[in-house]
Structure formats: structure tokens, C-alpha cells
Amino acid sequence: MASPESPPGTEMDAEAGRRRKAHGMLKLYYGLPEEGGGRDPLDPTDINGAHFNPESFLGKLRKELSLSQLMDCETDMVKQIRSLDSDMQTLVYENYNKFISATDTIRKMKNDFKKMEDEMDCLANNMASITEFSGSISSTLQDQHEQITKLSGVHTLLRKLQFLFELPARLNKCIDMEAYAQAVRYHGKARSILHQYRHMPSFQGIQNDCQKIMGELAQKLREKFRDGGSSAQDLAECVELLLQLDEPAEELCDEFLSHAEVRLTDDLKSLQADLGPPNSPPVASAITAPAHLGDILEFVDRGCNSFVSNMCLVIASYQDLFINRLSQGTMVSKNISTMAHDKLISFVNKLMGHYFAVVERRIQMEKGIGDNSLLVRALDRFHRRLQAVSKLLPASSVAMEGTEIVVRAAKERIRQYLLALQSFYLDCLTDVRQSLAAPRLMGKDHSNLAELLGNISASILNQIKSVLAYVHLFTAKDITFSNKPYFKGEFCSQGVREGLIVGFIKYICLTARQFCETTGDKGGFTPPTLLLLLSRLCLDYETSTISYILTLTDEQFLVQKVSKRLSWQDHSPVTAVTSLCAEAREAAQKLLNHYVKVQGLIISQMLRKSVETRDWVNTIEPRNVRAVMKRVVEDTTSIDVQVGLLYEEGVRKAHSSDSSKRTFSVYSSSRFQTRYAPSYTPSAPIDTNLLSNIQKLFSERIDIFSPVEFNKVSVLTGIIKISLKTFLECVRLRTFGRYGLQQIQVDCYYLQLYLWRFVSDENLVHFLLDEIVASTAHRCLDLVPMEQSVIEVICERG
């Protein structure tokens, strides 16, 4: 209950009162004084104390509390009394069944202990009786014990003698029943005794008979051992029995391995028969493969189920017979197990070498460039089955050589895929050539040029993705050999990335450069449009495709992690993306330069023939623009459209307002024409090139074959420079009359009307055309130029 000092009516006080009550009851039970609070344990007003006095408690309450507080205290005390009554009832109800059960248990224990005491008394009486009876028997048989022991020994000896005398007959019977193991067992039991008593005539006769019989048995076992139709179990039994008969172990090892070699060689011949003659050509693909060859997975399964399984059986049988058994007992000192182990290793390495040669030959026949899932599964199965041989004989080189075969197969597969990509690329170029040679693309329809570029780019990229998917099968998680160091490292970085992808990209660049290296007449075999197309392809590779392909490869094969892990092991870093991009850009630049050169030479050829095949001294007065000049403008316009399909416009210098109306003077100065032309005779040697050469010193030098930029304006500028420079050089080699000069004036003005719009700087066209007209005038025998108005009328009419 709550103490009178605490404020009544609160739940916290009630809870504290319960804790103090429980604590006080424990203190009271153990006779300990109350601690804390400064309360006297003999206080009669402490309701929880041992010396509580109700009258004193009530008197104190009446003195200290008001009426309302007394009523609250009464209410709280009533609640506590009811709570204590409820707890007491619950305690009684909960433990009632336990009290009853404990009472029943005690009652049963009294009965059980009483029965147990009776049984223990009975057992003690029985043990005493048994002890007394045993003592009486021992005393009765004490005198006859030695005699019985002696007779038992005699009986055992007689049984042994009987076995010895019956041994020859027993051995013959076992041999007749082909129970060879039982015969050897009988002889093994008696051999030591016969050898010990061989000086006695009777035992010597038995020994001689047994040796003769066992000699015949050994002969039969050897015949059975050499029998080709014996099973592996029969062979093991024969070897075991011959060893028990003290036959030479080394000779048995050789015979066992020779017999096993015959059977394994038959398995190899069966596999070789499936492959055909050794010099037969390799299989190009699954479509052209012989009908009897089958797929490589079936071949590997057949080899593993026959040859490898039999090899495992031979190894296990041999080890059990010649190594495990001979390593025990007296054979250890003879080192027979070491000899047998060496022979087994040599035998296994030899035959497995033949098997590996057959398997590798079959792998080399897989020349198909499609899905190689069958090849990977076959190599995985081949590698798995070799693990069994390696576990049976760890000292052999089977596991290492098998892994090397898988590695060589993977390398060969990468090489084949590289060749396939190269062949596919060349086929794409052939298709492009055919498309460009079609009539609809012969200067009439250039709309398909960008489409051709997109098709060849998409085709090559899709082919690369397919090849990467095929090669990725070698590193699949469910493939056992994918955990080998080669396939985790070198295969991904140096094989796939460098050998396949980087190698193919370099091949594209190399092929592009080879198109540029053709000189002379051979250059005509390459269509200029193909050069332009390939230059754009290489430029696209430089800008985006190379980075995309290498990123895809690195993500699929984790090349970055592999290269970091192998960076300290070897010195074969992967090729940087920037290096490949630079190589591709260089190839694109060379192709575009070569395209400009080829197109310039084509137009130059027309101009050269038009100059060389005409009599410029005796020509008629010009009435029209020559057809070749119109063809030059048409071809230049066609090239402009063609280049514009693949390259951007580029930047031009600002054109003057009269670019198309510019006039050409015969000389760079009109005064030179009127002043010095009449006196152009040998008797008055005036250097007519002087003023022109002086003017050139102050003119900007024109580089005819300078590298072009990747835009349309730069390409057309390069072509026009080559064409006009050729025109100029051809003019310098000819002599002209009056009308020849006038025809050149008309032609140059016509070219100026149209060519200025194609170049980056119109002054370049003006300068070269000025040079052509001036050079013609220098070589003119009758220097009478045509009026500019007449030239304009002819060109407008033309």
C-alpha cells in the first residue's frame, strides 16, 4: 500500500508503492533492514513495516490530512486491497494444477522406489547364485584344461596337414572350374609352409606338384591376359593373380600397356576414319562438309566417350594394380611403383598426343564464319573431359596440352573472323563499284551516293557486332576454360580488341591508302566516286565509329580491367582510340587528295587533248565557245553535286559584284600591248615576260597540289587549280596565231563566267585565267586580241 507521505491519487505513486511493497516483503523475509528514505523499521505508522499499528496509523492520518485527502486516501487504499485480493486469487488458480500434479508425482515415486528395491534384491540373489555355479564348474574342469588345449592344437595341425595333402587336387579342381583366384589363394596359404618343410620328402612332393600346377595356371593367365577380347575387369584380375604368383612386375606393366594401346589405337583409328585422308582439304563450311563428317560437337563426344573414357579406365586400373598395390609391403624397397608410374606417364602422354593431333585436325576443318556455338561447346566438352584424365594422373601434360589446343583454336577463330571481316569489306566495295557503274549513277542520279555510304557503314558495323557476339561465346560463364588466365586476359585484350577489331580498322585504312598508291594507268580502275565515298567513310570512322566500336568491345570483354591487370605482366598495351582515329583521318585525307588529283587529271586530259590536237596558228576566227570548255563546266558542276552529297559546303571569301563580268587583258598592262607588240622581233630583243614575271613576284603563290579540307569548296578548288594549271602548261608548249589567241580569250572568259562560283577565292580563278591568256599572247605570232564586247556576245550566245 502507499505510504502516508506520498501524495495520493496518482498512478506514479501507485506504481512506486507496488515496487516498495515487493522490495519490503523480500527484506522482511530475509530479515534485512530497510534502506533509504530515513524510515525507522520499528515505526508503527509504516503500513508496509513489520511493526505496523492501525490505531497509530489512523491517528496520524487524522492529524495530518484534511477531510478530502482522507477520502482520497481511503479510495486509494480500497483499490489497493482489491488489487491484492485479485492477485492472490490469480496466484492460487494458476498454481492449483501444479500443486495437484506435484502431489501425484510424489505418490507415484513412493510406489516405484518400492518396486525397484524388490528387483534389486532379486538381482543380487541371482548374481550370487551364478558366481557359485561358475566356481564349481571351474574347479571341476581344472584338471582337464591342459589336455583339452593339447588336443585342440593337434586337431588344428591335422586339419592343416589334410589341407596340404589335398592341395594339388584342390588346385586342379579350381583350374577346371576356372576359379583362378581361389587357386591362387589356396596356394598362397600353403606356400610358406611347403617352403619351410621342403627338405621332407612328403612335403617336397606336394611342393613340386603345386609348382607344376601353378606354372600351368600362370600360363593360362598369360594367355587370357594377351587375349584381345578380355574385358578390363578380366585384365585386372589376371594382372593381380600374376603378381601374386611372383611374375615380373615390369614385364606385366609392359604387357598391360601394350594390350591397352591396341584398344586405344583402334579408337583413334575410328576417329581418324571420320576425318578422311590426312592430306584432304579442310572443310570450307558446314554446307560443303562431307556427309560422314558430322558436326564437331558430335565428333568430340564420340572421342570423349570412346578414347578418353577408355584412357581413364586404363589409368585407374593400372594405378590400382601396379602403383597402389605395389607401393605396399615388400615392393616399396624395389621402387616398382616409381617405375610403373613413369611408364604410365610416358604411355599416356604418347597416346594423348596422337589424340590431340586428331582433335586439332578436326578443329582446323571448322572454317565456317557463322555461329560458332557448336565449336565452343565442343571445346568446352573436350576441356571438361580432360580434367578427369588430369585428376587421375596429375603428373601428365594432358591438361596443359589440352588448354593449349583450346587457346590455339580460339586464336585461329579470331584469325578466321578477321579474314571474314576483310572479305566482307571487299565484297561491300565490289557492290559499291557495281552500284556506281550502273547507268542511273553515271552522272544522272547522285541521290543514292549518301544512301550507299549509309548502307556500307551499317553493313560493316552490323557485321562487326555479329562477330563480337560469336567471339564472346568463348568467355561465357558456363564455359569451363573461360576461367583460364588466357581467356580472362590476353584473349580479350590482344586477341579480340587488338587482333580482331583494331586489326580490321587498320585493314580498312590500309586498303584506303592502297587506292591512293596506284599510279599511272592503274589509277583509272578506281572510280573517283569510290574514292570520295571511302574518304567520307574513313572520316566518319574518325569522328564517331571507331570510338563506338572500341567502347562496345571494351564493355563486352572488360578490356579496361584486363589491360590494367596485365599491364605489369607484359608490354603489350592496347591501341589508343586517338591513334586509330588519327590513322583513319590520315587515310581519309589521302583519299580525298587522291580524288581531287584524279578528277583534276580527268579534266586536265580533256584540256590537254583539246590544245594538242588543234592547229592554233591556222585556225579560223572564233564564233563559238569550244565544246570541251562546255564539257569542263558540266563535269565541274557534276562533281560539285557529287561532293555536296557527302561533304558540307565550306567557307568562301566574299565575292565581288562583277565576278562574272571580269575582262581579261592580253598582257598585264594595256600599255605594254600597244607599246611593245609591234617591235616583237629578234632584231629588237625585248623580254616580253619581264613585266609578267615582275607581277608574279608580288602575287600570292598558288600551291596546286596542296592538301584539301573536308568540305565541298576546298575539293572543287583543288580540282579547278589542277585543271587550269594543266591548261596553262599546255598553252606554253604551243604557238598561236591571231585567231588562236582570240579563241583562247573566248574560252577563258567562258570558264571565268562559271568556275568562280565553285572555288573558295575567285581571285585564284582570275589569276590562273589571266596567266593562260597572257601566256597565249606571249606565244602569238599575230597579236591582235578580240574586243571584250565581242567575247561577251560569243559567250552569251554559247
Side-chain angles (χ1 to χ4, degrees):
M1 294 184 181
S3 61
E5 289 83 358
S6 60
T10 63
E11 295 183 0
M12 294 181 62
D13 293 339
E15 182 66 24
R18 293 191 192 98
R19 288 198 298 268
R20 285 195 299 270
K21 174 185 174 183
H23 188 67
M25 292 176 68
L26 290 173
K27 292 286 186 179
L28 181 62
Y29 177 78
Y30 288 104
L32 299 175
E34 288 288 340
E35 296 178 358
R39 183 175 299 172
D40 188 1
L42 302 178
D43 186 7
T45 62
D46 184 7
I47 195 171
N48 295 323
H51 302 278
F52 175 67
N53 188 348
E55 292 299 331
S56 301
F57 177 73
L58 290 175
K60 183 179 181 181
L61 288 180
R62 284 194 298 268
K63 291 178 182 179
E64 295 178 355
L65 300 180
S66 63
L67 179 61
S68 60
Q69 289 178 341
L70 285 173
M71 293 178 67
D72 292 338
C73 183
E74 178 189 9
T75 304
D76 183 57
M77 192 172 298
V78 170
K79 290 181 179 180
Q80 292 184 25
I81 293 171
R82 291 175 180 174
S83 177
L84 289 174
D85 291 340
S86 177
D87 292 342
M88 183 64 71
Q89 291 177 3
T90 302
L91 181 63
V92 173
Y93 291 154
E94 287 180 352
N95 293 281
Y96 179 73
N97 291 331
K98 296 180 181 179
F99 293 152
I100 296 175
S101 177
T103 304
D104 295 339
T105 302
I106 294 172
R107 188 181 298 111
K108 290 180 180 179
M109 288 178 63
K110 290 181 179 180
N111 297 331
D112 293 340
F113 276 116
K114 185 175 181 181
K115 293 180 180 180
M116 190 179 296
E117 289 177 356
D118 296 338
E119 291 176 357
M120 290 299 294
D121 293 339
C122 182
L123 179 61
N125 295 331
N126 292 336
M127 290 299 295
S129 176
I130 292 172
T131 302
E132 182 181 359
F133 185 70
S134 176
S136 62
I137 292 175
S138 299
S139 60
T140 304
L141 298 178
Q142 182 68 30
D143 298 335
Q144 299 179 359
H145 178 71
E146 295 180 358
Q147 185 177 0
I148 292 174
T149 302
K150 184 177 180 181
L151 291 175
S152 176
V154 173
H155 180 264
T156 303
L157 179 61
L158 291 175
R159 289 183 59 187
K160 291 181 179 180
L161 290 174
Q162 182 181 5
F163 176 79
L164 290 175
F165 285 114
E166 294 177 355
L167 182 59
R170 286 174 179 265
L171 294 178
N172 287 325
K173 185 177 181 181
C174 290
I175 293 174
D176 293 339
M177 296 174 60
E178 296 185 355
Y180 302 137
Q182 185 68 23
V184 173
R185 196 156 46 246
Y186 285 159
H187 182 262
K189 291 180 179 181
R191 180 166 51 185
S192 59
I193 298 177
L194 292 175
H195 180 73
Q196 183 179 358
Y197 295 100
R198 66 182 181 277
H199 59 279
M200 300 178 64
S202 57
F203 286 98
Q204 186 177 7
I206 296 174
Q207 185 181 21
N208 293 336
D209 293 340
C210 291
Q211 289 178 349
K212 181 179 179 182
I213 294 171
M214 297 311 293
E216 295 176 357
L217 175 59
Q219 185 64 29
K220 289 186 177 183
L221 290 175
R222 284 187 174 275
E223 292 176 357
K224 186 177 181 180
F225 183 74
R226 298 188 183 99
D227 186 10
S230 301
S231 63
Q233 185 176 2
D234 293 338
L235 288 176
E237 184 181 4
C238 290
V239 171
E240 183 176 4
L241 295 178
L242 288 171
L243 288 175
Q244 292 180 12
L245 293 176
D246 292 336
E247 293 292 327
E250 184 174 0
E251 183 179 346
L252 291 177
C253 289
D254 293 336
E255 289 189 12
F256 183 88
L257 294 178
S258 299
H259 178 77
E261 184 176 1
V262 172
R263 299 190 62 184
L264 293 173
T265 303
D266 292 339
D267 294 337
L268 287 177
K269 290 180 179 178
S270 176
L271 294 175
Q272 290 174 343
D274 294 339
L275 300 181
N279 296 326
S280 60
V283 180
S285 64
I287 299 177
T288 60
H292 69 276
L293 188 59
D295 60 63
I296 188 170
L297 183 60
E298 179 184 350
F299 177 84
V300 171
D301 278 340
R302 191 161 57 252
C304 291
N305 295 333
S306 58
F307 179 83
V308 178
S309 296
N310 290 335
M311 176 62 76
C312 291
L313 183 61
V314 168
I315 294 174
S317 301
Y318 184 92
Q319 288 179 332
D320 185 58
L321 293 175
F322 298 105
I323 298 178
N324 298 336
R325 293 178 184 272
L326 298 181
S327 62
Q328 303 172 359
T330 58
M331 297 298 181
V332 179
S333 60
K334 300 179 181 179
N335 293 325
I336 296 179
S337 60
T338 303
M339 174 273 300
H341 186 263
D342 295 340
K343 285 182 175 292
L344 179 61
I345 292 177
S346 176
F347 170 81
V348 171
N349 289 339
K350 173 186 174 184
L351 286 183
M352 291 302 294
H354 297 329
Y355 173 65
F356 290 152
V358 174
V359 172
E360 195 158 17
R361 183 180 160 208
R362 177 61 183 88
I363 293 174
Q364 292 173 355
M365 291 183 176
E366 289 294 312
K367 299 295 182 180
I369 57 174
D371 185 10
N372 62 351
S373 57
L374 280 179
L375 174 62
V376 175
R377 287 170 56 195
L379 292 175
D380 178 56
R381 198 160 301 177
F382 168 76
H383 187 268
R384 282 178 193 269
R385 296 300 293 269
L386 291 183
Q387 303 308 309
V389 181
S390 179
K391 288 180 180 179
L392 287 172
L393 197 62
S396 67
S397 60
V398 172
M400 180 183 66
E401 293 182 5
T403 303
E404 289 177 355
I405 289 177
V406 176
V407 169
R408 286 196 295 269
K411 290 182 178 179
E412 176 64 19
R413 204 61 178 168
I414 290 178
R415 189 187 69 84
Q416 292 176 7
Y417 278 125
L418 177 60
L419 294 177
L421 286 175
Q422 295 172 355
S423 176
F424 180 81
Y425 174 67
L426 295 178
D427 292 341
C428 289
L429 294 184
T430 302
D431 295 339
V432 171
R433 282 175 178 266
Q434 294 175 355
S435 300
L436 294 176
R440 59 189 177 86
L441 293 178
M442 294 297 290
K444 299 180 181 180
D445 183 12
H446 299 289
S447 61
N448 287 332
L449 201 58
E451 182 181 348
L452 283 176
L453 176 63
N455 290 339
I456 187 174
S457 299
S459 299
I460 294 174
L461 187 59
N462 291 334
Q463 192 70 10
I464 290 175
K465 289 181 178 179
S466 299
V467 169
L468 286 177
Y470 296 150
V471 176
H472 193 262
L473 295 175
F474 282 97
T475 60
K477 293 182 179 180
D478 58 340
I479 302 301
T480 55
F481 58 77
S482 64
N483 294 323
K484 295 296 179 181
Y486 170 77
F487 289 96
K488 280 189 172 183
E490 186 181 352
F491 175 79
C492 297
S493 61
Q494 300 302 317
V496 178
R497 190 186 193 275
E498 296 298 309
L500 183 61
I501 302 303
V502 175
F504 178 60
I505 294 174
K506 289 184 176 180
Y507 175 79
I508 293 178
C509 298
L510 176 64
T511 306
R513 289 193 296 269
Q514 288 176 350
F515 281 117
C516 304
E517 293 171 358
T518 55
T519 57
D521 296 335
K522 293 182 180 180
F525 289 112
T526 303
T529 312
L530 179 61
L531 297 174
L532 183 66
L533 193 69
L534 290 179
S535 71
R536 184 65 204 191
L537 178 67
C538 291
L539 186 63
D540 290 342
Y541 267 65
E542 185 264 339
T543 54
S544 61
T545 308
I546 290 178
S547 177
Y548 172 75
I549 293 174
L550 291 182
T551 302
L552 180 65
T553 305
D554 294 346
E555 289 177 353
Q556 288 189 6
F557 293 88
L558 303 176
V559 174
Q560 298 298 333
K561 294 182 180 180
V562 170
S563 60
K564 291 180 181 179
R565 187 168 61 247
L566 297 180
S567 59
W568 60 274
Q569 295 178 351
D570 54 21
H571 302 281
S572 303
V574 295
T575 305
V577 177
T578 54
S579 174
L580 283 179
C581 290
E583 189 171 348
R585 188 176 184 85
E586 179 186 358
Q589 185 69 61
K590 287 186 176 181
L591 282 167
L592 196 59
N593 292 342
H594 192 60
Y595 170 79
V596 171
K597 180 180 177 181
V598 171
Q599 290 287 37
L601 291 179
I602 292 175
I603 297 177
S604 299
Q605 188 74 4
M606 292 190 299
L607 293 173
R608 184 177 65 84
K609 289 182 179 180
S610 70
V611 174
E612 292 177 352
T613 57
R614 192 180 183 95
D615 185 3
W616 293 99
V617 177
N618 301 316
T619 185
I620 62 175
E621 184 178 359
R623 292 289 182 266
N624 294 301
V625 179
R626 287 190 298 154
V628 65
M629 298 302 163
K630 298 179 180 179
R631 178 67 184 274
V632 168
V633 173
E634 291 175 358
D635 288 356
T636 304
T637 304
S638 176
I639 293 172
D640 179 75
V641 175
Q642 189 180 78
V643 176
L645 294 174
L646 298 179
Y647 284 100
E648 292 75 15
E649 181 69 21
V651 180
R652 286 189 176 93
K653 290 185 179 180
H655 298 307
S656 62
S657 59
D658 59 344
S659 297
S660 61
K661 298 297 182 180
R662 188 177 184 279
T663 61
F664 296 99
S665 62
V666 176
Y667 291 102
S668 57
S669 174
S670 59
R671 291 179 300 170
F672 181 85
Q673 172 186 350
T674 57
R675 183 176 179 180
Y676 297 106
S679 61
Y680 183 66
T681 59
S683 59
I686 299 298
D687 190 359
T688 58
N689 292 325
L690 180 60
L691 292 180
S692 178
N693 291 334
I694 292 174
Q695 184 180 5
K696 290 179 182 178
L697 291 176
F698 296 96
S699 301
E700 183 179 356
R701 181 178 179 274
I702 300 176
D703 189 359
I704 303 299
F705 294 100
S706 61
V708 296
E709 299 177 0
F710 295 102
N711 57 72
K712 184 178 72 172
V713 173
S714 181
V715 172
L716 268 296
T717 301
I719 295 173
I720 291 174
K721 284 193 300 183
I722 294 174
S723 304
L724 294 182
K725 182 64 175 178
T726 303
F727 192 12
L728 174 62
E729 297 302 326
C730 291
V731 166
R732 288 175 176 173
L733 298 177
R734 306 292 292 179
T735 304
F736 296 87
R738 176 194 302 178
Y739 297 133
L741 170 62
Q742 295 177 0
Q743 184 66 58
I744 293 297
Q745 284 183 285
V746 172
D747 293 343
C748 288
Y749 185 76
Y750 180 81
L751 292 177
Q752 187 267 336
L753 286 176
Y754 296 97
L755 294 185
W756 66 270
R757 68 193 66 190
F758 298 118
V759 297
S760 58
D761 186 4
E762 60 180 299
N763 293 325
L764 182 145
V765 175
H766 297 158
F767 177 79
L768 289 175
L769 292 176
D770 279 342
E771 284 290 313
I772 293 171
V773 176
S775 182
T776 305
H778 295 160
R779 291 158 182 78
C780 181
L781 302 178
D782 186 9
L783 187 59
V784 180
M786 181 178 286
E787 293 294 331
Q788 182 63 29
S789 59
V790 179
I791 294 174
E792 292 177 0
V793 171
I794 293 174
C795 290
E796 289 175 358
R797 187 177 59 201

